[in-house]
Amino acid sequence: GTGSFYAVKSVIYPTSSMELFTYWSDPEMVRLTFKDGNETITGLNIVKTTEYNLSDVDEPEKAGYRFIGWSNSPSATIPGYSSGIVTVNSDTTLYAVWERLMKITFNDGDDTDEEYLVKNSAVTLRTLTKDGYEFKGWGKSITSDSVITSLIADKDYDLYAKWELIRLSYTVRYVDKSTGKTLFSEKEVESPLFVPGQKITESAVVIAGYIPY
């Protein structure tokens, strides 16, 4: 119609009888977009001036990084929004802000395993086992035998397992089968070529006779 328009919560002072009619209009919508760099993570249309809870967005994931919040700038290193409520008054794009994690690579001589840690956190130096070897610890150099006792992840590290070969040996004892009496001095055989589970063959001692005394 052509009558007067009164906004919501307006105060009016009628001077005569009035008839008021409800006026409806479509809400103004704006676009809220979440991105990682140039890649769109998700987006939604919401009513303008809506307070949007950032915890309703699934946190993105990226290998080697920890998500720490959102920013209006794609190059931000400190988030402008980490949680809570953001009021959207116009089309808005928020960009994921990441903290780079330190990569610790464990090389055991056969395989490698990677672990990502927050910078300056303590590295857990795991203990390993290997048949035929004694684990001595972890070193920072593949060529040095020196080992470390602790490590802080202040940067990326490659760690190398240090092993010491266990020298295997076996003992041969010569006893009388019927009496259990020792017949000869025992013999111990050691070799760096022995491996766990190896089958060993020994020749029996032939007794030609006995000397009376």
Side-chain angles (χ1 to χ4, degrees):
T2 59
S4 299
F5 174 80
Y6 302 98
V8 176
K9 297 183 180 180
S10 297
V11 177
I12 59 176
Y13 300 93
T15 58
S16 61
S17 298
M18 298 179 65
E19 185 174 8
L20 299 178
F21 300 91
T22 303
Y23 175 78
W24 298 95
S25 64
D26 292 333
E28 184 178 353
M29 307 298 291
V30 292
R31 183 73 175 173
L32 177 59
T33 305
F34 296 89
K35 285 189 171 185
D36 177 15
N38 294 323
E39 181 181 350
T40 298
I41 299 173
T42 188
L44 63 158
N45 295 319
I46 59 177
V47 177
K48 185 177 180 179
T49 70
T50 293
E51 293 183 341
Y52 186 81
N53 193 335
L54 292 175
S55 63
D56 291 338
V57 182
D58 292 335
E59 289 190 359
E61 297 180 353
K62 182 190 292 188
Y65 292 83
R66 181 170 71 111
F67 172 75
I68 56 175
W70 302 98
S71 173
N72 297 108
S73 170
S75 59
T77 56
I78 299 176
Y81 313 91
S82 55
S83 62
I85 304 297
V86 57
T87 301
V88 184
N89 295 312
S90 60
D91 290 344
T92 301
T93 299
L94 297 181
Y95 298 88
V97 181
W98 304 95
E99 176 187 12
R100 183 180 176 277
L101 300 176
M102 304 297 101
K103 183 172 74 170
I104 312 300
T105 303
F106 294 90
N107 302 273
D108 68 5
D110 297 315
D111 298 302
T112 59
D113 186 31
E114 296 175 350
E115 181 177 341
Y116 292 92
L117 299 174
V118 175
K119 189 173 184 178
N120 293 325
S121 60
V123 179
T124 299
L125 299 174
R126 57 191 74 173
T127 300
L128 304 181
T129 59
K130 186 177 183 179
D131 288 342
Y133 292 85
E134 179 184 357
F135 177 68
K136 307 300 290 185
W138 294 97
K140 296 180 182 179
S141 170
I142 193 172
T143 57
S144 172
D145 291 331
S146 62
V147 297
I148 57 176
T149 58
S150 63
L151 182 65
I152 298 298
D154 56 345
K155 62 179 182 178
D156 294 340
Y157 282 99
D158 288 322
L159 300 181
Y160 302 89
K162 301 302 176 180
W163 302 98
E164 183 177 289
L165 179 67
I166 300 174
R167 295 181 66 86
L168 301 180
S169 65
Y170 67 90
T171 301
V172 180
R173 296 181 176 90
Y174 302 95
V175 297
D176 188 307
K177 181 178 180 180
S178 59
T179 65
K181 180 181 179 181
T182 299
L183 301 177
F184 301 98
S185 299
E186 63 183 32
K187 178 178 68 172
E188 183 173 354
V189 182
E190 181 182 287
S191 172
L193 302 180
F194 290 156
V195 295
Q198 179 179 344
K199 184 177 181 180
I200 300 297
T201 302
E202 276 284 343
S203 299
V205 174
V206 178
I207 300 176
Y210 294 91
I211 300 177
Y213 64 95

